[in-house]
Amino acid sequence: MLTADDLLGACERFLGPVTLVSDMSWQLGDNKVVQLSDRYGRSWIAKAVRYQEAYERELYALRRWAPALAAGAPALLAADDQLRLLILASRPGRLAEETGAETDPGVHEQAGLLTRRLHDAEPPVLDGDIAASAVRRLEVWIARGAHLLSDEDIGFSREEVRPLATIGPVPKVPCHLDNQPRNWLVDDAGTVSLIDFGMCKQEVWVKDVRRLCVQQWVGRPDLRDAFFAGYGRGPTVAELTLLRCYVVYSALSTIVYASEHADAGFEEQGRRTLAELRAGTLTVP
């Protein structure tokens, strides 16, 4: 991973002299992310990606899919494959989760529209194994986290995710996979942008609402309805079945992942979600 000085030096090859504005790196993350200002006062985001596969995935998304969002996504200025470095034009605004905008139906409607544009960036492709593979991956998470999970949690999760094994081919589309207010920028005019394409890949579209279902939309059907109004439609009955399976899967995997990364708050979120699903007090969506 590049040091801060190396990162600035690499960026200056593309931008000329720059000044570090802020270090935006996630404490538990694998990447170095900084905000820079050039000599003209323009703002840029530089991201050094630790792993090659993740770099290639994000670069592909920024080049092929993000342009479908037009001004609703950051524009890629340059990429250095050797350094796994991405330089993006900084979008104006503040994160929705930091300003209270995450409770604004208008923000959710715009996020729904941007999500639909992303999903439509390439034609859907039928995949005969993408759903069933989640059942196999669940067993990997259970094996990794058996010491963290009760027998009841494991049994419930297996039963809830099992329908994915027989669901057959489903269409997959370009998905963000971390679609939530911490990745929505809202500017002074209330316009929303979608940022951080680091997890992007082709997946089942309902995966892009699974986090919202267990966070912002709980007790706020108006936010859910606004999002789907922007998206242009809600899930079908069959897609709701898929969504519930993925929400359960995500809750269990969150417990294990967060524990492995010593993120107590994130682990508690997974435990709370799984407990509420088991108790029937959390509905999807």
Side-chain angles (χ1 to χ4, degrees), residues 99-113:
T99 63
E102 64 180 343
T103 64
D104 182 347
V107 168
H108 283 255
E109 183 172 359
Q110 290 184 65
L113 174 61

Side-chain angles (χ1 to χ4, degrees), residues 11-109:
C11 290
E12 287 183 341
R13 292 194 289 110
F14 300 99
L15 299 172
V18 294
T19 302
L20 177 65
V21 177
S22 64
D23 188 331
M24 306 168 67
S25 307
W26 184 39
Q27 184 178 1
L28 300 176
D30 295 317
N31 309 314
K32 185 75 171 177
V33 183
V34 297
Q35 183 179 12
L36 306 172
S37 178
D38 67 16
R39 58 187 163 184
Y40 303 107
R42 296 174 300 192
S43 182
W44 304 92
I45 301 297
K47 183 174 185 177
V49 183
R50 181 181 295 274
Y51 299 112
Q52 183 67 26
E53 181 181 359
Y55 169 76
E56 292 175 357
R57 184 172 62 239
E58 185 164 5
L59 180 61
Y60 184 92
L62 288 168
R63 282 177 169 167
R64 295 289 298 273
W65 300 337
L69 282 65
L76 178 68
L77 171 72
D80 185 315
D81 293 343
Q82 183 175 359
L83 298 176
R84 295 191 295 274
L85 172 65
L86 303 167
I87 301 178
L88 311 168
S90 179
R91 297 292 306 153
R94 297 176 60 194
L95 297 179
E97 73 168 6
E98 295 178 350
T99 63
E102 64 180 343
T103 64
D104 182 347
V107 168
H108 283 255
E109 183 172 359

Side-chain angles (χ1 to χ4, degrees), residues 132-205:
S133 66
V135 180
R136 300 191 295 271
R137 293 197 305 273
L138 181 72
E139 293 303 318
V140 174
W141 285 110
I142 289 172
R144 282 166 57 175
H147 60 294
L148 301 167
L149 304 163
S150 69
D151 291 342
E152 292 77 15
D153 286 339
I154 292 172
F156 172 81
S157 299
R158 281 174 170 157
E159 186 65 26
E160 290 291 316
V161 173
R162 186 171 291 126
L164 291 175
T166 57
I167 211 159
V170 294
K172 60 182 184 180
V173 297
C175 285
H176 188 275
L177 297 181
D178 196 16
N179 191 26
Q180 55 181 316
R182 76 177 184 186
N183 285 319
W184 301 348
L185 280 181
V186 185
D187 67 17
D188 291 342
T191 303
V192 178
S193 301
L194 185 60
I195 63 168
D196 193 354
F197 289 74
M199 295 178 65
C200 266
K201 65 177 181 177
Q202 287 192 317
E203 263 290 359
V204 182
W205 81 267

Side-chain angles (χ1 to χ4, degrees), residues 239-260:
E239 289 168 340
L240 284 174
T241 298
L242 273 173
L243 179 56
R244 179 174 174 85
C245 292
Y246 285 127
V247 167
V248 173
Y249 173 97
S250 183
L252 184 142
S253 60
T254 293
I255 294 169
V256 180
Y257 175 89
S259 176
E260 291 175 348

